[in-house]
């Protein structure tokens, strides 16, 4: 039976301005779930897999993933999440400035659930994130396999 723990949102985004904008527009869409923000992939992976409060140990999560991080590539993180027994069903939304066709295909091949290119224009970016918030409010997320 599925338990009904609230889904936590894990945001892995090194640009603080983008992170604030993403959180603000998710909140604007009426999403009140916890958002845990990481600027580095290494720290995010430690949290995802090892932290008692992280999704491997305490319930469902949804990951918002930027591909361009200072310490490792987002595709490496995506690969680790999707190949790990307890997190492979965790939805991953890739949210990045890269609109390279090869990169998009690679992310879907690795198991990304959604790929969104960040618009450069501030208004368009806000609109895209607000729509993402509406999307997040209706999707179903499976429990982690513990």
């Amino acid at each position: 039976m599925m338990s009904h723990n609230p889904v936590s949102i894990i945001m892995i985004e090194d640009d603080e301005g983008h992170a604030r904008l993403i959180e603000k527009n998710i909140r604007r869409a009426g999403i009140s779930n916890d958002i845990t923000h990481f600027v580095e992939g290494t720290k995010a992976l430690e949290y995802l897999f090892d932290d008692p409060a992280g999704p491997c140990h305490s319930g469902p999560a949804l990951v918002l993933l930027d591909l361009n991080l200072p310490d490792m590539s987002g595709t490496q993180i995506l690969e680790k999440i999707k190949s790990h027994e307890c997190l492979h069903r965790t939805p991953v939304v890739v949210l990045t400035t890269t609109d390279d066709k090869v990169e998009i295909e690679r992310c879907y091949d690795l198991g990304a659930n959604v790929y969104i290119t960040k618009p450069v224009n501030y208004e368009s970016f806000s609109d895209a994130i607000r729509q993402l918030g509406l999307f997040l409010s209706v999707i179903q997320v499976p429990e982690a396999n513990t």
Side-chain angles (χ1 to χ4, degrees):
M1 190 172 124
M2 303 269 280
S3 74
H4 294 289
N5 291 338
V7 175
S8 61
I9 298 171
I10 317 296
M11 176 169 42
I12 309 170
E13 166 63 75
D14 67 320
D15 184 314
E16 294 287 353
H18 285 181
R20 277 194 301 274
L21 198 58
I22 290 165
E23 182 161 1
K24 185 172 84 176
N25 284 291
I26 285 175
R27 296 289 180 231
R28 225 180 243 172
I31 307 278
S32 59
N33 304 50
D34 285 344
I35 298 176
T36 308
H37 175 217
F38 295 94
V39 293
E40 291 178 347
T42 314
K43 293 212 175 3
L45 287 172
E46 283 170 12
Y47 177 79
L48 285 164
F49 295 118
D50 303 326
D51 195 294
C56 247
H57 299 288
S58 70
L62 179 137
V63 176
L64 299 177
L65 177 63
D66 184 16
L67 292 183
N68 308 307
L69 299 165
D71 60 334
M72 65 195 306
S73 81
T75 50
Q76 289 173 297
I77 296 170
L78 176 62
E79 199 163 8
K80 286 181 192 305
I81 291 171
K82 292 299 184 176
S83 63
H84 195 283
E85 178 57 34
C86 81
L87 293 181
H88 71 277
R89 289 194 188 110
T90 299
V92 177
V93 176
V94 174
L95 195 58
T96 189
T97 49
T98 310
D99 65 355
D100 175 49
K101 188 170 167 284
V102 174
E103 191 80 335
I104 293 168
E105 287 172 359
R106 182 151 182 256
C107 285
Y108 280 116
D109 287 345
L110 290 171
N113 298 84
V114 180
Y115 190 108
I116 298 171
T117 304
K118 293 177 191 169
V120 178
N121 170 298
Y122 176 87
E123 280 305 310
S124 306
F125 186 45
S126 294
D127 287 346
I129 302 303
R130 220 174 352 254
Q131 289 167 15
L132 173 66
L134 296 172
F135 172 69
L136 297 182
S137 70
V138 296
I139 65 170
Q140 296 291 317
V141 175
E143 289 289 317
N145 296 347
T146 47

